Amino acid sequence: RVKLVGPPSNTLGIGSSVRLIYEDIGKGPMRTIQAGSGYWSQNSTIQILGMARTPIAIEVFWYDGEYTMHPVNIEKQLNYIIEHPENS
């Protein structure tokens, strides 16, 4: 599970994309944070990423063009909250 925390102007990180990077340098599918996909719809802003192999990192392409990469340790943690660089 990955939850993005954006700056005050976009606290949910709408428009950002996340994906897993694997040990063999392969990459998982890109998941985009959306506010909705149709009439009266609402998507979850928390992304659940399936693991095809052992991941080593989560990469985030933020809605404003920023790029960040975050290490993953699935033996210790499965839920990640990732903050926009502007929040640091």
Side-chain angles (χ1 to χ4, degrees):
R1 293 170 42 113
V2 177
K3 177 181 180 180
L4 298 182
V5 178
S9 62
N10 185 355
T11 57
L12 298 175
I14 303 297
S16 303
S17 299
V18 298
R19 72 174 162 192
L20 293 175
I21 306 295
Y22 296 108
E23 286 180 321
D24 62 0
I25 313 301
K27 296 181 179 186
M30 184 81 67
R31 302 287 303 269
T32 301
I33 312 298
Q34 300 176 351
S37 60
Y39 183 70
W40 278 19
S41 70
Q42 182 65 40
N43 297 343
S44 174
T45 56
I46 297 173
Q47 297 296 309
I48 299 173
L49 306 176
M51 296 180 287
R53 299 179 297 282
T54 303
I56 58 169
I58 299 168
E59 67 177 359
V60 181
F61 296 91
W62 292 92
Y63 66 93
D64 62 357
E66 292 280 343
Y67 171 82
T68 57
M69 187 177 289
H70 308 271
V72 170
N73 184 341
I74 61 170
E75 293 180 13
K76 293 185 178 182
Q77 184 177 356
L78 291 176
N79 297 310
Y80 290 85
I81 297 174
I82 299 174
E83 294 201 28
H84 188 278
E86 187 176 306
N87 295 349
S88 301

